[in-house]
Amino acid sequence: MSSLFEDLRYGLQEAIDYEKGIGKAKKTVFVIAPITKYSNSQIKNIRNKAGMTQTVFANYMGVSKKTVEAWELGRTHPTGPACRLLSILDQGEETELSFVSSNVVESIK
């Protein structure tokens, strides 16, 4: 059986036991870190550190190249979800995302 099924079965059994007065209820608390605000120079540094062009970076972020240019020039600033993606990229955790994959390309001589 799958791990997901086992987790669901275990959780359901805990809930049944709790309702019968046999077991104790458990509670998980998730703490969400505040959104980090990034300056135009920080955004450019993150993009450069990741080795991305503005076009590739825009595709990664789900925005237009013009938006990336505006961020890097300080005319506009990323908000909520874009700042979360910047945090992921800044921490080097982008390969953990399902929409990011790497392809090995042979160098051209």
Side-chain angles (χ1 to χ4, degrees), residues 58-74:
N59 286 328
Y60 170 80
M61 297 298 293
V63 299
S64 70
K65 184 178 178 229
K66 292 282 187 191
T67 298
V68 172
E69 289 172 4
W71 289 346
E72 290 186 0
L73 292 173

PDB file of all heavy atoms in Angstrom, residues 58-74:
ATOM      1  N   ALA A  58      12.376  35.610 -15.908  1.00  0.00           N
ATOM      2  CA  ALA A  58      10.962  35.979 -16.069  1.00  0.00           C
ATOM      3  C   ALA A  58      10.103  34.728 -16.217  1.00  0.00           C
ATOM      4  O   ALA A  58       9.021  34.639 -15.612  1.00  0.00           O
ATOM      5  CB  ALA A  58      10.792  36.896 -17.278  1.00  0.00           C
ATOM      6  N   ASN A  59      10.566  33.760 -16.990  1.00  0.00           N
ATOM      7  CA  ASN A  59       9.815  32.498 -17.139  1.00  0.00           C
ATOM      8  C   ASN A  59       9.714  31.761 -15.816  1.00  0.00           C
ATOM      9  O   ASN A  59       8.667  31.218 -15.471  1.00  0.00           O
ATOM     10  CB  ASN A  59      10.457  31.603 -18.197  1.00  0.00           C
ATOM     11  CG  ASN A  59      10.199  32.098 -19.590  1.00  0.00           C
ATOM     12  OD1 ASN A  59       9.166  32.688 -19.873  1.00  0.00           O
ATOM     13  ND2 ASN A  59      11.144  31.864 -20.487  1.00  0.00           N
ATOM     14  N   TYR A  60      10.801  31.728 -15.069  1.00  0.00           N
ATOM     15  CA  TYR A  60      10.812  31.080 -13.754  1.00  0.00           C
ATOM     16  C   TYR A  60       9.799  31.751 -12.818  1.00  0.00           C
ATOM     17  O   TYR A  60       9.052  31.086 -12.112  1.00  0.00           O
ATOM     18  CB  TYR A  60      12.218  31.147 -13.151  1.00  0.00           C
ATOM     19  CG  TYR A  60      12.284  30.733 -11.704  1.00  0.00           C
ATOM     20  CD1 TYR A  60      12.310  29.389 -11.343  1.00  0.00           C
ATOM     21  CD2 TYR A  60      12.304  31.681 -10.686  1.00  0.00           C
ATOM     22  CE1 TYR A  60      12.367  29.014 -10.008  1.00  0.00           C
ATOM     23  CE2 TYR A  60      12.354  31.314  -9.361  1.00  0.00           C
ATOM     24  CZ  TYR A  60      12.392  29.981  -9.016  1.00  0.00           C
ATOM     25  OH  TYR A  60      12.430  29.616  -7.699  1.00  0.00           O
ATOM     26  N   MET A  61       9.792  33.091 -12.846  1.00  0.00           N
ATOM     27  CA  MET A  61       8.929  33.849 -11.944  1.00  0.00           C
ATOM     28  C   MET A  61       7.479  33.916 -12.425  1.00  0.00           C
ATOM     29  O   MET A  61       6.595  34.300 -11.666  1.00  0.00           O
ATOM     30  CB  MET A  61       9.469  35.269 -11.768  1.00  0.00           C
ATOM     31  CG  MET A  61      10.847  35.358 -11.120  1.00  0.00           C
ATOM     32  SD  MET A  61      10.898  34.701  -9.442  1.00  0.00           S
ATOM     33  CE  MET A  61       9.871  35.886  -8.591  1.00  0.00           C
ATOM     34  N   GLY A  62       7.250  33.592 -13.695  1.00  0.00           N
ATOM     35  CA  GLY A  62       5.889  33.666 -14.231  1.00  0.00           C
ATOM     36  C   GLY A  62       5.460  35.084 -14.546  1.00  0.00           C
ATOM     37  O   GLY A  62       4.278  35.417 -14.447  1.00  0.00           O
ATOM     38  N   VAL A  63       6.436  35.924 -14.909  1.00  0.00           N
ATOM     39  CA  VAL A  63       6.155  37.320 -15.248  1.00  0.00           C
ATOM     40  C   VAL A  63       6.818  37.639 -16.582  1.00  0.00           C
ATOM     41  O   VAL A  63       7.547  36.825 -17.139  1.00  0.00           O
ATOM     42  CB  VAL A  63       6.666  38.293 -14.149  1.00  0.00           C
ATOM     43  CG1 VAL A  63       5.979  38.024 -12.817  1.00  0.00           C
ATOM     44  CG2 VAL A  63       8.180  38.207 -13.992  1.00  0.00           C
ATOM     45  N   SER A  64       6.593  38.837 -17.072  1.00  0.00           N
ATOM     46  CA  SER A  64       7.208  39.245 -18.332  1.00  0.00           C
ATOM     47  C   SER A  64       8.632  39.745 -18.088  1.00  0.00           C
ATOM     48  O   SER A  64       8.998  40.107 -16.967  1.00  0.00           O
ATOM     49  CB  SER A  64       6.390  40.357 -18.990  1.00  0.00           C
ATOM     50  OG  SER A  64       6.520  41.556 -18.246  1.00  0.00           O
ATOM     51  N   LYS A  65       9.416  39.774 -19.160  1.00  0.00           N
ATOM     52  CA  LYS A  65      10.777  40.308 -19.071  1.00  0.00           C
ATOM     53  C   LYS A  65      10.733  41.780 -18.671  1.00  0.00           C
ATOM     54  O   LYS A  65      11.582  42.256 -17.919  1.00  0.00           O
ATOM     55  CB  LYS A  65      11.499  40.132 -20.408  1.00  0.00           C
ATOM     56  CG  LYS A  65      12.939  40.586 -20.356  1.00  0.00           C
ATOM     57  CD  LYS A  65      13.648  40.353 -21.675  1.00  0.00           C
ATOM     58  CE  LYS A  65      15.063  40.879 -21.567  1.00  0.00           C
ATOM     59  NZ  LYS A  65      15.458  41.721 -22.640  1.00  0.00           N
ATOM     60  N   LYS A  66       9.730  42.511 -19.146  1.00  0.00           N
ATOM     61  CA  LYS A  66       9.574  43.926 -18.785  1.00  0.00           C
ATOM     62  C   LYS A  66       9.379  44.087 -17.271  1.00  0.00           C
ATOM     63  O   LYS A  66       9.873  45.044 -16.674  1.00  0.00           O
ATOM     64  CB  LYS A  66       8.388  44.554 -19.527  1.00  0.00           C
ATOM     65  CG  LYS A  66       8.609  44.684 -21.015  1.00  0.00           C
ATOM     66  CD  LYS A  66       9.495  45.855 -21.290  1.00  0.00           C
ATOM     67  CE  LYS A  66       9.578  46.092 -22.788  1.00  0.00           C
ATOM     68  NZ  LYS A  66      10.610  47.041 -23.123  1.00  0.00           N
ATOM     69  N   THR A  67       8.658  43.155 -16.667  1.00  0.00           N
ATOM     70  CA  THR A  67       8.449  43.203 -15.213  1.00  0.00           C
ATOM     71  C   THR A  67       9.774  43.017 -14.492  1.00  0.00           C
ATOM     72  O   THR A  67      10.084  43.739 -13.534  1.00  0.00           O
ATOM     73  CB  THR A  67       7.437  42.137 -14.773  1.00  0.00           C
ATOM     74  OG1 THR A  67       6.183  42.401 -15.401  1.00  0.00           O
ATOM     75  CG2 THR A  67       7.258  42.108 -13.267  1.00  0.00           C
ATOM     76  N   VAL A  68      10.582  42.048 -14.941  1.00  0.00           N
ATOM     77  CA  VAL A  68      11.896  41.819 -14.332  1.00  0.00           C
ATOM     78  C   VAL A  68      12.763  43.073 -14.488  1.00  0.00           C
ATOM     79  O   VAL A  68      13.422  43.502 -13.536  1.00  0.00           O
ATOM     80  CB  VAL A  68      12.591  40.588 -14.952  1.00  0.00           C
ATOM     81  CG1 VAL A  68      14.038  40.467 -14.471  1.00  0.00           C
ATOM     82  CG2 VAL A  68      11.815  39.313 -14.622  1.00  0.00           C
ATOM     83  N   GLU A  69      12.743  43.677 -15.669  1.00  0.00           N
ATOM     84  CA  GLU A  69      13.505  44.913 -15.888  1.00  0.00           C
ATOM     85  C   GLU A  69      13.062  46.000 -14.909  1.00  0.00           C
ATOM     86  O   GLU A  69      13.891  46.699 -14.321  1.00  0.00           O
ATOM     87  CB  GLU A  69      13.316  45.405 -17.320  1.00  0.00           C
ATOM     88  CG  GLU A  69      13.996  44.550 -18.365  1.00  0.00           C
ATOM     89  CD  GLU A  69      13.629  44.951 -19.795  1.00  0.00           C
ATOM     90  OE1 GLU A  69      12.893  45.952 -19.984  1.00  0.00           O
ATOM     91  OE2 GLU A  69      14.083  44.264 -20.726  1.00  0.00           O
ATOM     92  N   ALA A  70      11.740  46.145 -14.727  1.00  0.00           N
ATOM     93  CA  ALA A  70      11.209  47.166 -13.817  1.00  0.00           C
ATOM     94  C   ALA A  70      11.628  46.878 -12.370  1.00  0.00           C
ATOM     95  O   ALA A  70      11.960  47.803 -11.626  1.00  0.00           O
ATOM     96  CB  ALA A  70       9.687  47.235 -13.937  1.00  0.00           C
ATOM     97  N   TRP A  71      11.635  45.614 -11.968  1.00  0.00           N
ATOM     98  CA  TRP A  71      12.087  45.249 -10.620  1.00  0.00           C
ATOM     99  C   TRP A  71      13.547  45.629 -10.441  1.00  0.00           C
ATOM    100  O   TRP A  71      13.924  46.195  -9.419  1.00  0.00           O
ATOM    101  CB  TRP A  71      11.943  43.753 -10.369  1.00  0.00           C
ATOM    102  CG  TRP A  71      10.548  43.244 -10.224  1.00  0.00           C
ATOM    103  CD1 TRP A  71       9.409  43.965 -10.037  1.00  0.00           C
ATOM    104  CD2 TRP A  71      10.151  41.877 -10.232  1.00  0.00           C
ATOM    105  NE1 TRP A  71       8.319  43.127  -9.931  1.00  0.00           N
ATOM    106  CE2 TRP A  71       8.754  41.839 -10.048  1.00  0.00           C
ATOM    107  CE3 TRP A  71      10.827  40.673 -10.390  1.00  0.00           C
ATOM    108  CZ2 TRP A  71       8.028  40.645 -10.008  1.00  0.00           C
ATOM    109  CZ3 TRP A  71      10.112  39.482 -10.345  1.00  0.00           C
ATOM    110  CH2 TRP A  71       8.726  39.469 -10.150  1.00  0.00           C
ATOM    111  N   GLU A  72      14.368  45.265 -11.434  1.00  0.00           N
ATOM    112  CA  GLU A  72      15.806  45.495 -11.307  1.00  0.00           C
ATOM    113  C   GLU A  72      16.183  46.975 -11.394  1.00  0.00           C
ATOM    114  O   GLU A  72      17.229  47.375 -10.897  1.00  0.00           O
ATOM    115  CB  GLU A  72      16.566  44.674 -12.351  1.00  0.00           C
ATOM    116  CG  GLU A  72      16.516  43.184 -12.042  1.00  0.00           C
ATOM    117  CD  GLU A  72      17.365  42.333 -12.972  1.00  0.00           C
ATOM    118  OE1 GLU A  72      18.018  42.885 -13.885  1.00  0.00           O
ATOM    119  OE2 GLU A  72      17.375  41.105 -12.782  1.00  0.00           O
ATOM    120  N   LEU A  73      15.340  47.766 -12.003  1.00  0.00           N
ATOM    121  CA  LEU A  73      15.574  49.212 -12.058  1.00  0.00           C
ATOM    122  C   LEU A  73      14.934  49.949 -10.876  1.00  0.00           C
ATOM    123  O   LEU A  73      15.118  51.152 -10.717  1.00  0.00           O
ATOM    124  CB  LEU A  73      15.053  49.782 -13.381  1.00  0.00           C
ATOM    125  CG  LEU A  73      15.826  49.333 -14.630  1.00  0.00           C
ATOM    126  CD1 LEU A  73      15.114  49.808 -15.887  1.00  0.00           C
ATOM    127  CD2 LEU A  73      17.254  49.852 -14.584  1.00  0.00           C
ATOM    128  N   GLY A  74      14.160  49.229 -10.065  1.00  0.00           N
ATOM    129  CA  GLY A  74      13.526  49.818  -8.891  1.00  0.00           C
ATOM    130  C   GLY A  74      12.258  50.588  -9.185  1.00  0.00           C
ATOM    131  O   GLY A  74      11.751  51.302  -8.330  1.00  0.00           O
TER     132      GLY A  74
END
